[in-house]
Amino acid sequence: MYQHTVHHTVFIFRSLAELMAKATPLRSGDQLAGIAANSSQERVAAQMALAELPLRTFLEEPLIPYEEDEITRLIFDTHDKENFKKISHLTVGDFRNYLLETTTQKTELTILQKAITPEMAAAVCKLMSLQDLILVSSKCEVITRFRNTIGLKGRLATRLQPNHPTDDLKGILASVVDGLYNGSGDAVIGINPATDNVATQARLLNMLEDVRVRCQIPTQTCVLSHITNTIQAIEQGAPVDLVFQSIGGTEKTNSSFGINLALIKEGYEAALSLGRGTIGNNVMYFETGQGSALSANAHHGIDQQTIEARAYAVARAFNPFLVNTVVGFIGPEYLFDSKQIIRAGLEDHFCGKLMGLPMGCDVCYTNHAEADQDDMDILLTLLGTAGCNFIMGVPGADDIMLNYQSTSFHDALYVRQLLGLRPAPEFESWLINMGIINEKLQITPADTSNKLLKMITE
């Protein structure tokens, strides 16, 4: 039991999970689950009690019992006990102060990555302002490699997302060309298939492989199908670069997705066996999002931000190339408005980076949320300053297959120009060689850079 007194009122929190939930900044998902603080006063009391909590408490009191959940077992079995000694004397509040110190930089944070459990990251996150989240995230650098290098300081990559409601190859190809001409696609050219089966996946992968090889593009491709389909596609000889899977932070959540750790490991090893990476072997692409555990009734009474951080332990175990929080995709039942979406995006990016993940963010919302594209401009700009590894590039920022709003090719150009960010180095060289951008990284007029189109249509 935990407690704190505010203005002569004693607030009692019966468990660590309740303390964490009550300390969480307001969001509709926790209200829907019936675990949110009942007042701002109670939230402040919980945050103050949490600030006084020793970090080691999270190693003594698992939020979900070790025997009941394979994610809990993964967290405890892989914990870096040796490097945890560097911070084991700290409370959660002390840890926040340590992270914000000017002497705490990339080297110190990199050493601690596997010593920080998801619950520790989530806890300190609850005590931090937006500027705190941005500042600490900007100190982190998580670099991954496959055919190019993602995550270097001063770089911002994009996933070129050319989805089509009928998986029409010509329609998808048109979007791919549009994205490439706008400097998008260095993180991955990744398609969400409208029809999720092995035959469709193989057809889309072969088309993307043809374009990539024909145009000698230093990037990677992915069809975001269920991992069981991707394993079958690999067995049938399809050109799989990255293995995709949506993941959650509890065993029950992942069961609702039709996966477990053993299955993810099977997909990971299958992709490694292909040896398709030219400069690295980070072969996994994971997507997450606050609220998925609650929608599956698999949250164990734990707040959605903490459950989200636990999903990062799953991702971390498989050395991913990309991890993407699709922050506003699930809807207003979980993140009601732009204020909640913006905070959640920065929280997810912070927790992932702190734990050593190559975090990107789908800066997005659904049309029934209290948000619009102006709000996404705010989050996009903040993530750019925070050192986000990659964002989405969707034609017109409007995904006509998934029916949600994201960021466009031009949004990526904006934030790169504003903050002086560059594409992945190998992809940047290719863009210059193709005449798509000049040495100053300015997009050149399309009528003077037809080299790419000729290579595609030959």
Side-chain angles (χ1 to χ4, degrees):
M1 186 173 71
Y2 306 89
Q3 67 179 52
H4 199 87
T5 303
V6 177
H7 298 314
H8 308 294
T9 301
V10 179
F11 291 91
I12 296 175
F13 309 100
R14 293 162 297 179
S15 67
L16 184 54
E18 181 179 351
L19 176 64
M20 293 278 279
K22 301 285 189 181
T24 304
L26 181 66
R27 61 209 53 200
S28 53
D30 293 337
Q31 290 178 310
L32 181 64
I35 60 176
N38 294 309
S39 66
S40 297
Q41 191 178 33
E42 185 180 28
R43 183 172 300 108
V44 169
Q47 289 173 338
M48 294 177 73
L50 184 61
E52 296 168 356
L53 192 75
L55 282 179
R56 63 178 179 274
T57 305
F58 295 104
L59 300 175
E60 299 165 353
E61 301 180 37
L63 296 183
I64 305 174
Y66 184 92
E67 299 77 17
E68 296 180 13
D69 184 89
E70 68 173 359
I71 311 307
T72 298
R73 293 193 290 275
L74 174 69
I75 292 166
F76 278 77
D77 293 349
T78 60
H79 183 240
D80 182 353
K81 298 177 180 62
E82 187 61 33
N83 281 310
F84 180 67
K85 293 176 182 177
K86 296 178 173 65
I87 56 173
S88 62
H89 61 290
L90 300 177
T91 65
V92 177
D94 293 332
F95 186 41
R96 171 187 175 273
N97 295 338
Y98 170 79
L99 294 174
L100 290 169
E101 286 176 2
T102 55
T103 53
T104 303
Q105 295 294 331
K106 180 180 72 173
T107 300
E108 291 77 16
L109 294 174
T110 300
I111 290 170
L112 290 175
Q113 287 172 353
K114 293 184 179 180
I116 299 170
T117 69
E119 291 82 0
M120 294 174 194
V124 74
C125 180
K126 298 176 193 302
L127 305 183
M128 302 182 86
S129 66
L130 296 190
Q131 64 180 250
D132 292 342
L133 297 173
I134 293 167
L135 180 60
V136 176
S137 298
S138 72
K139 299 179 183 183
C140 301
E141 186 178 49
V142 182
I143 300 169
T144 54
R145 294 178 174 88
F146 189 77
R147 288 197 190 92
N148 56 25
T149 308
I150 303 297
L152 294 167
K153 287 285 187 184
R155 305 272 176 176
L156 176 67
T158 59
R159 169 189 161 189
L160 202 172
Q161 184 171 308
N163 297 343
H164 192 279
T166 63
D167 292 326
D168 179 74
L169 293 184
K170 290 182 179 179
I172 291 170
L173 181 58
S175 293
V176 170
V177 173
D178 186 20
L180 292 172
Y181 270 120
N182 282 283
S184 184
D186 44 350
V188 65
I189 303 176
I191 304 169
N192 297 91
T195 305
D196 191 7
N197 59 50
V198 178
T200 297
Q201 184 176 13
R203 184 166 59 92
L204 295 173
L205 283 170
N206 282 311
M207 184 272 286
L208 292 177
E209 176 75 351
D210 178 66
V211 172
R212 185 190 67 78
V213 172
R214 187 184 300 229
C215 301
Q216 301 174 358
I217 310 171
T219 191
Q220 33 288 320
T221 65
C222 183
V223 174
L224 282 68
S225 190
H226 193 274
I227 193 169
T228 52
N229 288 344
T230 305
I231 292 170
Q232 290 183 55
I234 290 173
E235 292 171 347
Q236 295 176 16
V240 172
D241 288 343
L242 305 182
V243 172
F244 167 81
Q245 184 55 49
S246 295
I247 55 174
T250 71
E251 183 176 342
K252 288 183 178 179
T253 306
N254 287 329
S255 294
S256 75
F257 294 155
I259 61 168
N260 54 34
L261 296 178
L263 182 60
I264 298 173
K265 183 180 180 181
E266 182 182 349
Y268 175 56
E269 292 176 346
L272 285 176
S273 72
L274 298 178
R276 290 175 57 83
T278 54
I279 64 169
N281 59 357
N282 298 111
V283 296
M284 301 301 289
Y285 175 13
F286 295 115
E287 286 192 345
T288 68
Q290 291 190 27
S292 60
L294 177 58
S295 64
N297 194 28
H299 60 101
H300 296 267
I302 301 168
D303 68 274
Q304 64 185 38
Q305 187 257 324
T306 300
I307 292 291
E308 171 74 2
R310 283 172 57 95
Y312 303 154
V314 177
R316 186 168 62 180
F318 298 99
N319 305 311
F321 183 69
L322 306 170
V323 180
N324 178 36
T325 169
V326 193
V327 65
F329 183 74
I330 302 182
E333 298 86 357
Y334 306 96
L335 297 170
F336 179 72
D337 56 16
S338 60
K339 184 178 179 66
Q340 294 185 15
I341 292 171
I342 289 168
R343 168 129 195 138
L346 294 171
E347 286 174 345
D348 295 351
H349 178 254
F350 163 83
C351 288
K353 280 291 185 64
L354 200 61
M355 292 173 60
L357 290 179
M359 288 301 296
C361 183
D362 191 341
V363 180
C364 65
Y365 64 101
T366 57
N367 286 313
H368 61 314
E370 293 294 320
D372 60 27
Q373 212 66 35
D374 287 343
D375 300 313
M376 298 305 103
D377 286 348
I378 294 170
L379 179 54
L380 170 64
T381 306
L382 294 176
L383 284 167
T385 64
C388 188
N389 279 29
F390 69 100
I391 60 169
M392 302 299 108
V394 177
D398 182 6
D399 193 303
I400 58 173
M401 194 281 283
L402 292 174
N403 292 307
Y404 80 116
Q405 310 304 310
S406 185
T407 46
S408 71
F409 306 137
H410 295 89
D411 293 330
L413 293 176
Y414 145 76
V415 77
R416 280 174 173 167
Q417 181 179 351
L418 175 71
L419 301 174
L421 301 172
R422 308 166 75 96
E426 301 86 353
F427 193 75
E428 177 187 309
S429 297
W430 178 82
L431 290 171
I432 293 172
N433 181 57
M434 296 297 291
I436 294 172
I437 63 174
N438 59 28
E439 297 290 344
K440 296 181 179 180
L441 304 187
Q442 299 165 325
I443 296 290
T444 59
D447 58 358
T448 65
S449 56
N450 290 321
K451 187 175 180 180
L452 172 62
L453 196 57
K454 289 178 180 177
M455 293 176 76
I456 290 175
T457 56
E458 282 177 352

